[in-house]
Amino acid sequence: MDIQLAVQAFVTLLVIMSPLGNVPVFLALTEGEGVRARRRTAAHALLAAAGLIYLFAFFGTRILAALSIGLPALQASGGVVLFLVALQMLRGDALVPTRAEGVSVAVVPLGVPILAGPGAISAVMVFMTSGDGGQLELMTQVSVALAIAAVLAVIWVVLRYAGAVERLLRPNGIHLVTRVMGMLLVAISIELVATAVQAYAAGASALP
């Protein structure tokens, strides 16, 4: 078990998926539903997000290989996506996404892309890939998988008691937490891009 990697993955995904920041959006999308209906919606959203995240966590590298995309490209693109998400969090953008016609709100937009968005997908693929772009050892993959499960568990608890959380923190408290997470996400995104640039520079210097 790689405890350090598991903690890093847990903190990064928790910041990206921002359960507290998504409380107002969840309540707006489930407005008019009873407590049981909201909890059922939260459970279905978590299942949809978990399925997509674990799919890319375990098979993302094969998808990249099929498309001839290297790890530095993934890190750079993931960093850019996370930076854009961080800017939204810092600005306090809380626009409620449009419901998809004929699709359960638990799947779209709650499960995807609010919870399992491009930022979260990019992050889990980076964590599941070794420094040379290959697959991690089995126990290291298990560490990341458990970190993902822990983040999903936190999100489930927050969404299950979303009404109580909003009353406890109030809008100002939620906005404050969202902005703090946005600042942390900026640092994470810059680190990803810097690592990708270093990898590209090292590869260029190694060429004859």
Side-chain angles (χ1 to χ4, degrees):
M1 294 290 290
D2 191 334
I3 303 299
Q4 182 177 356
L5 179 62
V7 172
Q8 184 182 3
F10 174 81
V11 173
T12 301
L13 287 175
L14 193 64
V15 171
I16 294 172
M17 301 178 79
S18 184
L20 292 178
N22 285 324
V23 165
V25 178
F26 172 74
L27 292 177
L29 287 172
T30 57
E31 186 178 4
E33 295 184 5
V35 175
R36 289 186 178 181
R38 271 184 169 166
R39 290 178 177 178
R40 185 167 56 251
T41 299
H44 291 167
L46 259 293
L47 288 176
L52 188 63
I53 288 177
Y54 278 116
L55 173 67
F56 279 94
F58 288 104
F59 300 104
T61 53
R62 298 180 183 179
I63 296 173
L64 289 181
L67 297 174
S68 300
I69 299 175
L71 179 63
L74 173 63
Q75 290 174 323
S77 60
V80 172
V81 170
L82 294 183
F83 185 77
L84 295 177
V85 173
L87 289 182
Q88 290 182 325
M89 296 171 70
L90 289 173
R91 290 199 305 263
D93 293 345
L95 297 177
V96 179
T98 305
R99 292 170 176 254
E101 189 68 28
V103 180
S104 170
V105 69
V107 178
V108 179
L110 276 177
V112 183
I114 293 178
L115 295 180
I121 291 173
S122 299
V124 296
M125 290 178 67
V126 169
F127 281 118
M128 277 292 196
T129 308
S130 63
D132 57 1
Q135 286 280 355
L136 297 174
E137 295 181 357
L138 177 60
M139 292 309 297
T140 307
Q141 292 186 40
V142 171
S143 302
V144 178
L146 291 177
I148 296 172
V151 172
L152 293 172
V154 172
I155 295 174
W156 158 241
V157 172
V158 172
L159 294 185
R160 180 180 175 85
Y161 300 102
V165 170
E166 187 179 48
R167 290 192 298 271
L168 177 64
L169 294 180
R170 300 182 182 277
N172 287 339
I174 292 177
H175 288 319
L176 176 61
V177 172
T178 301
R179 281 165 174 74
V180 171
M181 289 187 172
M183 289 188 291
L184 294 175
L185 199 55
V186 168
I188 294 172
S189 65
I190 292 175
E191 181 67 25
L192 283 174
V193 173
T195 302
V197 171
Q198 290 175 352
Y200 277 122
S205 63
L207 293 176

